[in-house]
Amino acid sequence: MEIHRFERLWLGLSILLVVALIGTVAYGAVAEGVKMVDDSGGTVQPGELSDHPEFSDPGVRQVGENEYEVWVVPRQFFFDPGTSQPIRVPAGSTVTFHVTSGDVVHGFEVANTNINTMVIPGQIATVTAEFDDPAEYGLVCHEYCGSGHHSMEGKLEVVPQSQFNATEAGA
């Protein structure tokens, strides 16, 4: 049986395409540190967020020198904090976001950064990033969460350290 040369060419290109696809997925998973949402951040009962020591009063907390934790609760159709008042962190800091939902599946993305996670009720998604320079970032829900999903947005402000300290001292 003889295989026509164009059939061999297309067969070879198809195999090359499959190998390239597997290679890009493997590279993204291993080299870039892409990982699935899991329960490594812990779990919480979605209906009991008001009793949780951190999620009952979500916000920014300093945990070390230039280290902050931000506790965020996305709800239909806002981020708490983030929508009515921006999340404010100082420039030159390392920030760990702890995010969970009390109602439905949401997304938590800080635009123009590598912060992007799915927020599942009952699971605490934990993402860490460094913010070196003052800037303003948008918060976006990228998982369809209901009829008001299109308007679910918020803001993260990275402010100079001196401005952050003055703001916190006045609070």
Side-chain angles (χ1 to χ4, degrees):
M1 178 171 92
E2 184 178 333
I3 300 176
H4 194 274
R5 67 182 174 132
F6 288 120
E7 289 178 341
R8 281 190 301 225
L9 176 67
W10 283 111
L11 181 61
L13 288 174
S14 299
I15 290 171
L16 182 64
L17 185 63
V18 169
V19 169
L21 176 66
I22 292 171
T24 57
V25 170
Y27 174 78
V30 176
E32 295 298 318
V34 175
K35 59 182 181 178
M36 297 298 294
V37 175
D38 59 12
D39 63 355
S40 64
T43 58
V44 62
Q45 292 297 322
E48 299 174 7
L49 292 180
S50 60
D51 298 331
H52 190 275
E54 303 295 345
F55 287 116
S56 62
D57 184 26
V60 179
R61 293 166 181 70
Q62 186 169 4
V63 293
E65 186 175 341
N66 295 326
E67 293 182 22
Y68 296 84
E69 290 185 342
V70 180
W71 299 81
V72 182
V73 180
R75 299 187 189 275
Q76 290 179 317
F77 300 100
F78 64 95
F79 294 99
D80 182 20
T83 297
S84 61
Q85 60 184 4
I87 298 170
R88 294 173 54 98
V89 297
S93 62
T94 301
V95 180
T96 301
F97 294 89
H98 303 279
V99 190
T100 193
S101 171
D103 48 22
V104 298
V105 174
H106 291 282
F108 182 76
E109 177 180 358
V110 179
N112 298 321
T113 69
N114 64 346
I115 301 170
N116 184 346
T117 188
M118 179 183 271
V119 184
I120 301 170
Q123 291 189 354
I124 301 171
T126 303
V127 182
T128 301
E130 293 182 8
F131 295 97
D132 296 324
D133 300 316
E136 189 173 287
Y137 301 93
L139 301 178
V140 181
C141 176
H142 56 75
E143 295 288 334
Y144 182 74
C145 56
S147 62
H149 167 74
H150 64 282
S151 64
M152 187 171 172
E153 59 184 23
K155 190 183 300 183
L156 169 69
E157 293 179 351
V158 181
V159 297
Q161 184 73 40
S162 59
Q163 186 179 349
F164 182 79
N165 290 340
T167 303
E168 295 305 304

